[in-house]
Amino acid sequence: MTEPKNELFSRPKPRHIGIIMDGNGRWAKARMLPRMAGHRAGTDNIRRVIDACIEFGIEFVTVYAFSTENWKRPSDEVQGLMQLLSEMLDDRIGELHEKGVRLLHIGRLEQLDALTREKIKNALELTRNNKTITLIIAWNYGGRDEVVAAVQKMLRDQVKPDDVDEKLLSSYMFTSGIPDPDLMIRTSGEMRTSNFLLWQSAYAEWFFTDTLWPDFDRESLRQALESYASRERRFGKRKPEDEKQQYAG
Ligand code: IPE
Ligand code: IPE
Ligand code: MG
């Protein structure tokens, strides 16, 4: 397939981008607003970034919205975040559907209340045949928990030890069928994975920016894509120009 001509950023571009949307609290604090105002601005920003991803022709975007560790936050914040997810599923799903966004979820649904689970299920069902872009919401997601869930499922399926390989394990992950992320972005200046896509990001390129998530816009994404295009992904091999080189001695 020939790529459409696009002068917005250099090639190659990632197929799948993972985003750790961090810094909502600090964004609110800098404005002397309650933390929830930061989370609200952060949630609104998903729309803006998805529009930019569509414009740039990205196929898959996974956003880290609630980690298995985020349950350790004060209960009013956890409740507020659950409420925001619920509102997003009520108010934004029509618009996402119209844009052709296919919604997927990764993480454990069991610990969410029945109504939220139902809303997620309906949103996935409504958008399942959409083709413009796939937006994967990581909610109650943890990379270690995902490995635990995969092992539990394999044992339940009575998988034989000798049948376990990387391909099989991948198929037991929440992300089964989704290509691994090529580019991982973390906002707000923190430089850690915080348990996000541990298995899948083994060979992803990372982009860290000090920009707080609610301020991360189209131009910030374009810069991340420029940075990605300048990287050389070797996957453990030698540089292509070194492959043919003969070394004396
Ligand atoms: C990210 O923003 C959103 C979630 C983790 C749910 P934070 O709430 O972590 O914001 P900071 O890191 O405190 O600024
Ligand atoms: C990671 O951010 C989780 C999400 C963005 C959902 P955190 O703010 O929770 O991560 P730590 O605690 O700084 O590692
Ligand atoms: Mg944070």
Side-chain angles (χ1 to χ4, degrees), residues 125-153:
E125 184 57 33
L126 175 72
T127 62
R128 62 195 283 256
N129 294 319
N130 289 346
K131 302 264 185 290
T132 309
I133 193 168
T134 299
L135 170 62
I136 303 140
I137 311 260
W139 190 275
N140 195 20
Y141 172 87
R144 288 185 166 188
D145 183 52
E146 179 176 38
V147 175
V148 171
V151 172
Q152 287 173 334
K153 268 187 263 166

Side-chain angles (χ1 to χ4, degrees), residues 21-27 35 39 65-66 70 73 77 81 188:
M21 308 184 290
D22 200 10
N24 294 349
R26 278 162 283 168
W27 184 92
R35 285 186 73 84
H39 289 315
F66 191 88
N70 288 147
R73 295 191 179 200
E77 184 171 357
L81 288 165
S188 87

Side-chain angles (χ1 to χ4, degrees), residues 51-190:
D51 284 348
C53 285
I54 293 173
E55 181 191 351
F56 295 151
I58 306 301
E59 292 172 66
F60 299 86
V61 183
T62 302
V63 292
Y64 202 12
F66 191 88
S67 74
T68 45
E69 287 69 38
N70 288 147
W71 291 105
K72 295 176 196 154
R73 295 191 179 200
S75 64
D76 59 341
E77 184 171 357
V78 170
Q79 278 321 305
L81 288 165
M82 295 291 160
Q83 179 64 31
L84 265 184
L85 170 70
S86 177
E87 280 174 29
M88 185 192 141
L89 291 168
D90 286 340
D91 305 341
R92 303 260 191 255
I93 196 65
E95 185 189 320
L96 289 172
H97 184 45
E98 269 168 36
K99 285 181 186 159
V101 177
R102 175 172 70 132
L103 204 68
L104 296 178
H105 166 263
I106 54 171
R108 295 232 199 202
L109 285 179
E110 302 94 277
Q111 287 141 353
L112 307 182
D113 67 78
L115 187 61
T116 308
R117 284 203 308 264
E118 189 63 22
K119 284 184 191 178
I120 293 175
K121 216 180 92 207
N122 292 342
L124 306 192
E125 184 57 33
L126 175 72
T127 62
R128 62 195 283 256
N129 294 319
N130 289 346
K131 302 264 185 290
T132 309
I133 193 168
T134 299
L135 170 62
I136 303 140
I137 311 260
W139 190 275
N140 195 20
Y141 172 87
R144 288 185 166 188
D145 183 52
E146 179 176 38
V147 175
V148 171
V151 172
Q152 287 173 334
K153 268 187 263 166
M154 283 197 286
L155 292 174
R156 270 188 215 112
D157 288 354
Q158 300 183 321
V159 172
K160 295 198 184 65
D162 288 345
D163 290 342
V164 179
D165 58 12
E166 293 186 9
K167 196 163 162 239
L168 187 83
L169 193 44
S170 289
S171 75
Y172 273 90
M173 295 287 177
F174 296 132
T175 49
S176 174
I178 300 166
D180 284 342
D182 306 291
L183 172 65
M184 304 284 282
I185 298 173
R186 182 164 190 154
T187 58
S188 87
E190 309 295 348

